[in-house]
Amino acid sequence: MVKDTTDGQGHNGWVGLQQMVKYTIDRDPKYVFHHPNVQSILLWLFQSQDDPKIKKLLTNPKELPKGNVLVVGAGSSGSQITAELMKTERKIFLSVGAHDRPPRRYRNRDFCWWLGVLNLWDAEANPSSTHTTIAVSGADGGATVDFRNLATQGLTLLGLTETYENGILTFADNLGENIREGDESYLSILDRADAYADRNGLNLPPDPKAREIGPDPECITRPIRSIDVFAENITTILWATGFSNDY
């Protein structure tokens, strides 16, 4: 969701943006029974989610105003948008919550192939479990999402977005935990894939590099708990936090 304003003191205007996979609610029928899953912090930034100046569509980074960007949400949309924005000259921040991080390809097979043979397409839903987003990318031919690698390229990782007051955004002290749990989900898929290949005698090429996980960057070992959006010249907040049911 996007809103352009000024604070009356010469600072750049606020922009918050909800990624909707290039479709507005009015154009795509699957959104008729869903609402953008935007945290209550949006109501601290804006008067209402229905503000007429709020945009609900992003198709190109060139549409954004000058300045730096905070992406909230590290699922497939958030991670791919972040990678694309990093190709610009902006400074990019990514707020990372709980997520699964599957391999895009492993042992010369696509992740979707592994989902099929491991019967993960047919896995029963667990009503007692908390929904966890999936960080996977099909951009540029597809690649495994690696937040540590993105951080070495200049991305600033943050924990879960918590509060906003007087220009200060705060973040939970859970970045390291979220990254490690994402690693655990990633390695568990590799383990299941290896076990399936061995059990069925599949002659698939080994992929030891897939298990190499780099060192934690400083933004993980010394997590940032708050940022001044004006001092950091953050003019865009991009909400890539999915949808909730409207029934």
Side-chain angles (χ1 to χ4, degrees), residues 148-182:
R148 290 183 180 83
N149 184 45
L150 291 175
T152 64
Q153 299 175 41
L155 175 65
T156 299
L157 300 171
L158 304 163
L160 187 74
T161 303
E162 284 192 320
T163 66
Y164 169 79
E165 185 175 1
N166 298 325
I168 304 297
L169 278 165
T170 65
F171 305 90
D173 188 18
N174 61 2
L175 175 61
E177 177 185 357
N178 292 336
I179 294 294
R180 285 189 292 274
E181 289 182 353

Side-chain angles (χ1 to χ4, degrees), residues 77-246:
S77 294
S79 57
Q80 291 181 88
I81 293 168
T82 295
E84 183 174 5
L85 289 172
M86 288 180 64
K87 297 176 183 178
T88 69
E89 296 181 355
R90 306 169 189 268
K91 183 176 182 180
I92 310 300
F93 301 81
L94 177 63
S95 175
V96 180
H99 63 276
D100 287 340
R101 187 173 70 87
R104 188 64 185 86
R105 292 184 64 82
Y106 181 57
R107 297 185 67 171
N108 205 30
R109 292 292 186 272
D110 187 86
F111 172 55
C112 291
W113 187 87
W114 286 114
L115 283 177
V117 299
L118 297 176
N119 294 322
L120 295 178
W121 287 120
D122 300 322
E124 294 185 4
N126 181 359
S128 64
S129 65
T130 301
H131 171 72
T132 302
T133 189
I134 296 178
V136 63
S137 174
D140 300 321
T144 298
V145 174
D146 186 338
F147 294 116
R148 290 183 180 83
N149 184 45
L150 291 175
T152 64
Q153 299 175 41
L155 175 65
T156 299
L157 300 171
L158 304 163
L160 187 74
T161 303
E162 284 192 320
T163 66
Y164 169 79
E165 185 175 1
N166 298 325
I168 304 297
L169 278 165
T170 65
F171 305 90
D173 188 18
N174 61 2
L175 175 61
E177 177 185 357
N178 292 336
I179 294 294
R180 285 189 292 274
E181 289 182 353
D183 293 341
E184 291 173 3
S185 73
Y186 168 77
L187 293 172
S188 71
I189 293 293
L190 303 191
D191 290 342
R192 294 181 67 173
D194 287 341
Y196 178 88
D198 291 343
R199 188 167 61 250
N200 291 277
L202 300 183
N203 185 23
L204 299 177
D207 190 0
K209 287 188 177 181
R211 293 183 176 274
E212 295 179 2
I213 294 178
D216 288 345
E218 184 176 1
C219 57
I220 295 180
T221 59
R222 300 177 63 184
I224 299 170
R225 297 296 309 281
S226 65
I227 54 176
D228 184 324
V229 297
F230 297 122
E232 293 289 351
N233 193 29
I234 294 175
T235 58
T236 299
I237 297 180
L238 191 154
W239 299 87
T241 47
F243 297 83
S244 57
N245 293 335
D246 186 22

